Amino acid sequence: MHLRSLLSMPRMLRHGSSVGADLPPDEAVTVDAPDGPMADALAALHAGDRGPAAALLAGTRERAEWERRSTYVTQLAAAALHSPGWLDDWLDESPEDPDAVLVKAELCVHQAWEIRSAARARDVAPEQFQAFFALLGDAVPVASAAARLNPTDPVPWQIALTHARGSQASREVFDAYWAEAVARSPHHYGCHAAALQYLSEKWYGSHGEMFAFAERAAESALPGSKLHALPLLAAVEYVVVSDDPRQSPVERARIDAAVERGLELSTWYEPGDPDAADFRNHLVLMLILHERWAEALEVFRAIGVRARTYPWAYLGEPRTEFVELRSGVRMQLASRTPLFSRPGRAPAAPAAPSGGPSGGPSAGDSSAGGPGQPRALVIAAAPPHQVAEAALMCGVSLRIAPARPGTSYVELVPDPAPGRRAALAREDRLTAAAGSFTTGEKWPALVLRRSGPRYGLSLLQKGTETAAHQWDPVAPVTDHAAASATAQALAAAFSVRDARPLVALLRGADSPGARQADLVAALGLPPLPAGFGSQDEVLRSVPGAQLLARRGVLRGIRDSLSTDLGTPAIPVPRSRGWWRVRVGGLAVLVPASVYAWATTPDCYRATIPTLASLFLANQLRTARRAHRD
């Protein structure tokens, strides 16, 4: 460990829980979550009703809301990727519907890229390329029909620009598509972003051409337009994605100007605005790379829970990268805060100017459809007293309640000032606690989560997450191999002979709450407590529920050697043998103590049996009181 890191560790431990404490919890973060109206429409689609989705798209066409139309078409195509039945029915009933045909065109291109994957060309197999080009060929007549059915719509030409990139279209073809797009909407962000990709060095342009295109578009854009984010997207392509930027370097001043332009653009949008989430995710990554920690934390606050696939997919799994880098920013700021000072919050971003965009819902608008408050519960395959003994040093306060014989419910009890270990945990605190109290234990624990329309689970064994799953109505259906692996792990942990019913419950996203509850029942576990998912601290009303207050390390070690585990105590059942040994020992030690004090002048010899008698008497008294209560 470097000396600087060693010196900053006390500051990190002291301030880590307070820096960024107002950020949403990790478990609330979503990737590419739709806004409120589209979330409702997607839920209706999975229930068999395409009416809300059709009405949303028709509204964007009638009001010429091309940016929103582009977003909605992409989300509907993603929903149709693994369950296209509703789209096929729509096209069968209305083959000339411009909205349905547009979704089909986007779906065709989406299917092609799904097969090709996002890997570099050298890493794509020949058979993947063959299927990719075949599907792109199928998309041509559909995209042409979409453009014909709604001649003023720029979105078919955005799809055409993406198609040109994949089909290796010539510059003449690209220029023709670009001319059609800007003729319909000169400042359409989606078309510009698609063109930027074509002009990047990894495809058919160069770093210089990409930056020149982005900067021209930004300079001609209206104040508050998302086109001001194009240089920022170019900067990410150059700094993060390109193989070796040194081969065709771009001036540092252009990178810095792109970041400054992105910061200024962010002030035009309310915190949590879904329309700003795309460029804000790019912005915060560039701020991290520039080690501008305080500004990065403010942008994380503005993003809220709305992570996006890109740019994080360039680094790894998007949600994991977002959460871990956000935690890293907090720790960097904590390590730079003087040890005996209180970390302050940077000034809030200025309010959006009166001329800023007003099309997107604000953060406080109920129609914005923000994710529901995340809630979690653990079902542990051990009685309450064993869970309490194992959880003494997990660093958080827990409520533990008996379930069926041999099993327990566990929930997190919020602490006004979380402990340092809780603040430094990368996972949500209940999952981290379950990892702690299952370490070294033979019994497993199942963490169940509910956050808005998303339901999930994690299996913890011996301190390690061995399986995880999430039901999300707007995400693709889990493939059979992944669901089967999760089902096998769950079946092995809870001694279920046949894992096939579990696979059926894991696959599919309809009725996620029912699927989660049915999975718990199929594992032979106790049912979920009433109110879980809609209420906080549902174990308060469960008979026998007890609070295990957070302890420091030293107190945890001390209490692990004691019979009193609680605040109040978690009752520990005592066997008959336990009572017989202590009563018998007391029957021997009390007369021995009396005899020693009466006959020997050596106080030391008399003290030992006396202290042993008092220790046994205290154990019996505590156990009798717990049994009586």
Side-chain angles (χ1 to χ4, degrees), residues 86-132:
W86 60 270
L87 181 57
D88 294 337
D89 293 341
W90 190 2
L91 288 166
D92 289 341
E93 293 180 14
S94 307
E96 295 291 300
D97 188 313
D99 302 325
V101 175
L102 184 61
V103 175
K104 180 65 175 179
E106 174 68 16
L107 174 61
C108 290
V109 176
H110 200 147
Q111 286 173 323
W113 283 99
E114 186 79 3
I115 289 176
R116 184 200 181 279
S117 80
R120 292 297 180 92
R122 60 178 177 267
D123 300 321
V124 180
E127 56 272 17
Q128 286 178 273
F129 268 125
Q130 185 177 1
F132 173 62

Side-chain angles (χ1 to χ4, degrees), residues 197-221:
Q197 283 292 314
Y198 184 96
L199 296 172
S200 65
E201 188 175 71
K202 71 181 179 184
W203 291 105
Y204 311 111
S206 66
H207 294 320
E209 187 176 16
M210 173 183 66
F211 267 94
F213 170 82
E215 289 163 352
R216 283 197 307 270
E219 287 165 5
S220 63

